[in-house]
Amino acid sequence: MKLALIQTHLHWENKEKNIQHFSEIIDNSQPADVYILPEMFTTSFTMNSNVLAEPIDGFTTQWMLQKAASKHSCLVGSIITKEHSHYYNTLIWAYPDGNFQFYHKRHLFRMAEEDQHYSPGQHKIICEYKGFRFLPLICYDLRFPVWSRNQFGTKYEYDVLIYVANWPAVRIDAWKKLLFARAIENLSYCIGVNRIGTDGTQKEYNGQSMAINFKGEILCNLASQNGVAYVELNKSLLEEFRQKFPAHLDADNFKIIS
């Protein structure tokens, strides 16, 4: 399984420029099984949800499906959507066969008043592709280990955690430490894709997109570069480690009450 982590700047509240920008990046990238874009990749992290929202199956999702089909791969990233009278920070997982899944961000970043402009999601999704099971989440979700927790039943709930983000430079140390923690505690790969540059509120972003394996080892790190990092995930190595180090057998059972 080959993943492409796309770390780049975003044009503030400009869907057309951002989609053109990501089209060029994806068209010129190496073949991969899954392409991962940052949080709110068409707008940057804005609170103007009532102006910039679109239907879940709207223009951006259709673009993602078209790109997924043309690359014979999955495409993942979050956008602003509207359902009825509610606005959401929504992750779209687009498959090459024309289907897609979506996840509404559960934990809304109140320090930026995200909770006043968006509604929280209630349900996680598991996305399956080429023998891997993925749990895709969004930015602030990273701080809440219960929501990210790998449920251990007869089999692991997922093999790969993905966080798409607009995580500012001022708190980047927390981003890095929490990605390591999520990988180790869940015995899974953990992927974090952040942005770089400055947004419309003058917040600075320095990336640090990375892939970490189930042992807490770095597989790739984009640091503050503009570009794409590619990482190969090995399911056999993951399963072998889980058998040799079955910490899940001692895990606490719990239920999340929404």
Side-chain angles (χ1 to χ4, degrees):
M1 172 68 67
K2 185 176 181 179
L3 307 185
L5 286 60
I6 302 176
Q7 176 173 284
T8 186
H9 66 276
L10 300 176
H11 298 282
W12 181 253
E13 297 185 349
N14 193 322
K15 293 183 185 181
E16 182 178 345
K17 280 190 176 181
N18 283 313
I19 287 178
Q20 180 181 1
H21 179 57
F22 282 105
S23 289
E24 292 172 356
I25 293 173
I26 294 167
D27 289 345
N28 292 300
S29 65
Q30 298 177 20
D33 297 301
V34 182
Y35 294 86
I36 309 171
L37 285 59
E39 177 185 21
M40 289 194 186
F41 69 89
T42 60
T43 59
S44 189
F45 188 62
T46 173
M47 297 303 106
N48 289 327
S49 53
N50 60 326
V51 175
L52 296 165
E54 57 186 280
I56 287 178
D57 60 353
F59 177 81
T60 302
T61 298
Q62 296 307 312
W63 170 81
M64 293 178 72
L65 290 169
Q66 183 273 322
K67 282 297 174 191
S70 68
K71 299 294 287 189
H72 307 287
S73 306
C74 292
L75 199 63
V76 185
S78 96
I79 62 175
I80 303 170
T81 67
K82 182 180 180 180
E83 285 186 274
H84 306 295
S85 60
H86 294 279
Y87 298 98
Y88 297 97
N89 182 348
T90 302
L91 181 141
I92 304 293
W93 185 289
Y95 292 93
D97 64 0
N99 291 310
F100 71 92
Q101 291 176 262
F102 65 89
Y103 160 70
H104 296 318
K105 185 178 182 181
R106 164 80 164 188
H107 300 94
L108 303 177
F109 192 59
R110 69 177 58 249
M111 284 67 84
E113 299 184 346
E114 187 181 15
D115 59 320
Q116 297 182 31
H117 298 274
Y118 297 88
S119 296
Q122 301 298 326
H123 305 287
K124 295 183 288 187
I125 59 172
I126 299 296
C127 302
E128 298 190 46
Y129 191 62
K130 293 190 174 181
F132 280 80
R133 293 165 61 83
F134 297 84
L135 173 62
L137 299 172
I138 303 174
C139 202
Y140 193 39
D141 287 331
L142 177 61
R143 288 183 177 270
F144 301 92
V146 173
W147 190 242
S148 303
R149 187 65 171 168
N150 210 339
Q151 298 286 335
F152 306 115
T154 56
K155 63 178 181 179
Y156 288 79
E157 185 180 22
Y158 61 80
D159 307 303
V160 187
L161 262 171
I162 293 177
Y163 295 95
V164 301
N166 273 218
W167 196 290
V170 68
R171 290 185 293 277
I172 204 64
D173 284 345
W175 162 261
K176 291 186 284 188
K177 290 178 173 66
L178 291 169
L179 287 173
F180 281 100
R182 297 296 89 83
I184 294 167
E185 70 193 8
N186 290 298
L187 287 88
S188 74
Y189 290 102
C190 185
I191 314 298
V193 176
N194 195 20
R195 60 160 297 181
I196 57 173
T198 305
D199 71 13
T201 67
Q202 301 309 305
K203 289 187 179 67
E204 298 284 343
Y205 299 85
N206 65 342
Q208 310 302 314
S209 299
M210 63 180 74
I212 301 164
N213 74 6
F214 37 86
K215 296 180 182 179
E217 300 167 337
I218 296 176
L219 302 180
C220 72
N221 185 351
L222 273 161
S224 58
Q225 301 173 61
N226 180 68
V228 184
Y230 302 93
V231 61
E232 295 275 358
L233 306 186
N234 188 310
K235 184 73 174 291
S236 296
L237 290 178
L238 172 62
E239 292 178 341
E240 180 182 341
F241 181 77
R242 286 172 168 176
Q243 290 176 0
K244 289 183 176 179
F245 194 82
H248 67 282
L249 297 178
D250 301 310
D252 300 306
N253 293 319
F254 62 91
K255 291 183 179 180
I256 297 175
I257 301 174
S258 298

